[in-house]
Amino acid sequence: MSDAVSIVELGPRDGLQNEAVALDVATRAAFVRALAAAGLRRIEAGAFVRPDRVPQMAGSDQLCSTLTADAALLGAGVRLSALVPNLKGLERAVAAGVREVAVFPAASETFSRRNLNQGVDEALASAAEVCAAATRQGLAVRGYVSTAFGCPYEGPVPVAAVIRVCEHLLAAGVHEVAVSDTIGVAHPGQVRDVLSAMLTAVPRERLALHFHDTRGTALANVLVALDAGVRTFDACAGGLGGCPFAPGATGNLATEDLVYMLQGLGLARDIDLDALVEASAAIEEAIGHPLPSRCYRATLASRRVRSR
Ligand code: MG
């Protein structure tokens, strides 16, 4: 098992999509460039969803067109991706030069119906349709599996249901499944159990984990997953994006917190934590409220101490 850990930075998409303010394209483009400058090499930049429903992602066409034509980003080997809900979204992504897209079915029926207006099987069929069209055009596809560790409506989600969604996605051609703790309930005991079942069905190099720090367990979950051999983790700079199912609670695992822990373990050495803090500081000012990342806040505080 390689020691190389891969971080998929979702701040510009999952992070900003769940913030109250909608930022303009120029601010979001600068954010993506700052994240790339910090050494992040997989960045989800936008979402090709309806701007009337998700105003935070409006202008993703222009944003992605600009970024995919940016020679500096390409030269640095930055892989940009975007979320697409359907074939129409895929069409927009292709037009904007995006080479990797993400589909997002869920593992629980009620969440799927309420959030995607489709049952699980129907959502899997739509995802397969997007996958087929994307791979025909040479794009890579990532598949998020929402509510994999718990559903806001149904509670516990059987691991067999999660595995079934992963298998469908892999068979449809996704290169990676991002098994996601949408409501931030996962804890290390559960992660250990879920992974021991899941890794019998899903190759570990095709598995990414997406944790939320809603209950303060995200880093502990990553540690357990590292022990189980998982090497790809999603994170959002600064811990951007609240938890829509727990108002006022923190959402996505913060990239700074993840990188700090990984570097302590001798991993993710290619990320410049100070540069990452700079990227977050600029976006914190734009969104107008303090970012929750512990490592980010502590870094700013220790800078103030040093400059006294
Ligand atoms: Mg998330």
Side-chain angles (χ1 to χ4, degrees):
M1 189 70 207
S2 157
D3 264 352
V5 168
S6 169
I7 296 173
V8 182
E9 170 60 46
L10 303 181
R13 202 279 299 166
D14 194 15
L16 291 182
Q17 184 180 317
N18 290 300
E19 291 290 339
V21 290
L23 303 184
D24 60 35
V25 168
T27 306
R28 284 149 61 197
F31 184 35
V32 172
R33 291 192 174 99
L35 293 166
L40 291 156
R41 287 297 168 264
R42 294 183 65 182
I43 304 174
E44 200 158 276
F48 292 93
V49 291
R50 283 176 47 175
D52 56 327
R53 297 232 179 109
V54 191
Q56 296 92 331
M57 292 293 104
S60 284
D61 309 76
Q62 194 199 334
L63 172 69
C64 289
S65 297
T66 307
L67 294 172
T68 56
D70 186 320
L73 290 179
L74 288 175
V78 174
R79 283 167 64 184
L80 296 167
S81 63
L83 199 72
V84 297
N86 48 34
L87 288 172
K88 196 174 162 68
L90 174 65
E91 214 174 285
R92 288 170 60 196
V94 169
V98 172
R99 304 303 300 157
E100 176 168 355
V101 292
V103 294
F104 48 102
S108 62
E109 195 64 25
T110 315
F111 183 89
S112 185
R113 291 197 180 279
R114 294 212 192 170
N115 283 268
L116 309 171
N117 285 317
Q118 290 179 317
V120 171
D121 285 338
E122 219 181 327
L124 283 173
S126 307
E129 198 176 41
V130 171
C131 267
T135 43
R136 245 195 328 271
Q137 296 171 84
L139 276 75
V141 185
R142 170 172 229 246
Y144 290 99
V145 183
S146 301
T147 61
F149 294 87
C151 171
Y153 312 111
E154 297 175 17
V157 174
V159 67
V162 182
I163 292 173
R164 193 177 78 91
V165 172
C166 290
E167 287 178 330
H168 269 82
L169 287 171
L170 291 169
V174 309
H175 72 88
E176 179 176 272
V177 285
V179 172
S180 307
D181 182 19
T182 309
I183 54 172
V185 290
H187 55 76
Q190 184 190 15
V191 172
R192 191 187 52 214
D193 292 347
V194 165
L195 286 179
S196 76
M198 191 169 302
L199 288 170
T200 62
V202 178
R204 68 191 68 206
E205 64 278 7
R206 302 278 210 104
L207 179 63
L209 291 174
H210 179 118
F211 291 123
H212 285 188
D213 205 29
T214 317
R215 288 167 176 79
T217 52
L219 284 180
N221 292 340
V222 170
L223 207 51
V224 168
L226 280 171
D227 267 347
V230 177
R231 289 294 180 271
T232 305
F233 299 96
D234 292 359
C236 285
L240 272 171
C243 179
F245 301 100
T250 57
N252 294 295
L253 168 60
T255 316
E256 288 90 337
D257 298 3
L258 176 62
V259 168
Y260 182 81
M261 184 183 81
L262 290 174
Q263 291 188 342
L265 295 166
L267 302 165
R269 296 286 183 94
D270 43 351
I271 310 291
D272 179 340
L273 196 46
D274 278 314
L276 185 53
V277 166
E278 293 312 317
S280 291
I283 213 71
E284 181 179 62
E285 199 167 309
I287 61 168
H289 72 80
L291 287 170
S293 163
R294 302 285 190 87
C295 177
Y296 169 72
R297 304 230 66 79
T299 304
L300 292 183
S302 63
R303 282 179 188 175
R304 282 193 293 272
V305 170
R306 275 200 301 270
S307 66
R308 252 182 226 155

